[in-house]
Amino acid sequence: MTIPQRTQVAIVGAGPSGLLLGQLLHKAGIDTVVIEQRSADYVLGRIRAGVLEQVTVDLLEQAGVADRLHAEGLPHDGVNLSFGDRMQRIDLKALTGKHVTVYGQTEVTRDLMDARRAEGLVTVYEAGDVAVHDLDGTSPRVTFTLDGRPHEVRADFIAGCDGYHGVCRASVPQDVLKTYERVYPFGWLGILADVPPVEHELIYANSERGFALSSMRSSTRVRCYVQCSLDDKVEQWPDDAFWAEFKRRLPPHVAERLITGPSFEKSIAPLRSFVAEPMRFGRLFLAGDSAHIVPPTGAKGLNLAAGDVGMLAEALQAYYRGDPAGIDGYSARCLRRVWKAERFSWWFTSLMHRFPENGEFGFKMQTAELDYLCQSEAMQKVVAENYVGLPL
Ligand code: APR
Ligand code: PHB
């Protein structure tokens, strides 16, 4: 592989944001180099959410990577919210005319990697000491090492798609960025197992014992979660303990249908809301997790990332056609959508989890709100509209 010394857009990070941006720009005839600090296998080993909004599916189509998604993805016309012994289906299709598609983020990433490789586009994996320079000039640079040797790529622009812990946001002067954050006092323990889902659509469950989510990757593979303590370790949760707890958090008439089996992945993730403003500094654009994090309730993370890079690809295309207005408006346009998804993810998290500090009163408030949701088509429509995703 020859690494070019110059490209139009240098993309830092080969997660879904970086790879989708690369593919969208390639379709528009714009050159990119992607620089990733991990190996491709490491990137594919990360298990994340699996619900795609229509906007995301449209962008994956535009990027030319939607064939397997259409063949294997599961269209879901509804989603369930349960509390106590009750369960309410939100009819996404009837309320919004839209559906969501269940397809794992790992598969999205794999499809994007395959497409990039098939087009012969340059992706540098296992880059060391990645750094970005001259962000407020006209010729920013990315430097890194590969096999111990130093490299430099000059570009017109740098896209910071390097996630929450990346180097790009950290390279913006502190007095330029304002950050907003909420850390939640619990985590999600998640497993993957080859058993059929307990219900053919997702169930978000509020229970006195804490939140649970029944999700899936296919009709024979489930992804299930329970709210856990941040101090818990996966070793404390053998499969039997996980399934027993998961079962207790579902309504009894659903729980009795539960089929359990050995897990082949188990991990604990913390929950956080985070936004950095603005999403542009000079010739650096932040996109996806490098700029914002949502708690996973509602599965907005990947969808927000896709929206960002869709808007960035549009803005860069306009720039190369001679219209710079798009790149100037990029940050404000993204943030309007980001804050609305932050609000929905925060609200949905607050409604469905046990917050010890809110006590019994807090639990009664949640139950009353869920009861109201069951009676009110207006409220169901608000949930549905946000769940299927807001327009770009
Ligand atoms: N240099 C190069 N690459 C880096 C650096 C660095 N200094 N730091 C991090 N990276 C890479 C990570 O290894 C990772 O592969 O950037 C990538 C960022 O990918 P994600 O964290 O997946 O973020 P993003 O592509 O924005 O995806 C957003 O996917 O990660 C989920 O929860 C997230 O669902 C959301 C969506
Ligand atoms: C998942 O399938 O992993 C998943 C689904 C919905 C969520 C979060 C995670 O809200």
Side-chain angles (χ1 to χ4, degrees), residues 61-100:
E61 263 169 23
Q62 198 183 317
V65 291
D67 290 352
R68 198 160 68 93
L69 157 67
H70 286 312
E72 297 175 18
L74 307 172
H76 279 200
D77 289 344
V79 61
N80 301 286
L81 270 55
S82 76
F83 59 113
D85 57 3
R86 297 169 65 183
M87 185 152 91
Q88 176 66 42
R89 178 171 187 265
I90 310 276
D91 192 334
L92 302 172
K93 189 87 194 178
L95 292 161
T96 67
K98 295 184 191 152
H99 64 266
V100 293

Side-chain angles (χ1 to χ4, degrees), residues 82-85 185-189 204-213 225-230 232 236-237 240-252 255 351-356 359-360 362-364 366-367 370:
S82 76
F83 59 113
D85 57 3
F186 41 74
W188 276 20
L189 167 68
Y204 291 86
N206 173 311
S207 104
E208 219 156 345
R209 300 181 64 90
F211 171 78
L213 168 59
Y225 300 90
V226 293
Q227 174 184 353
C228 66
S229 158
L230 279 172
D232 282 5
Q236 291 166 255
W237 284 94
D240 287 352
F242 176 89
W243 286 120
E245 190 57 41
F246 180 74
K247 191 170 184 172
R248 280 191 213 114
R249 298 184 186 193
L250 295 174
L351 178 67
M352 301 307 288
H353 292 75
R354 219 36 188 137
F355 287 75
E360 288 306 309
F363 185 61
K364 285 285 186 194
Q366 291 177 335
T367 309
L370 285 161

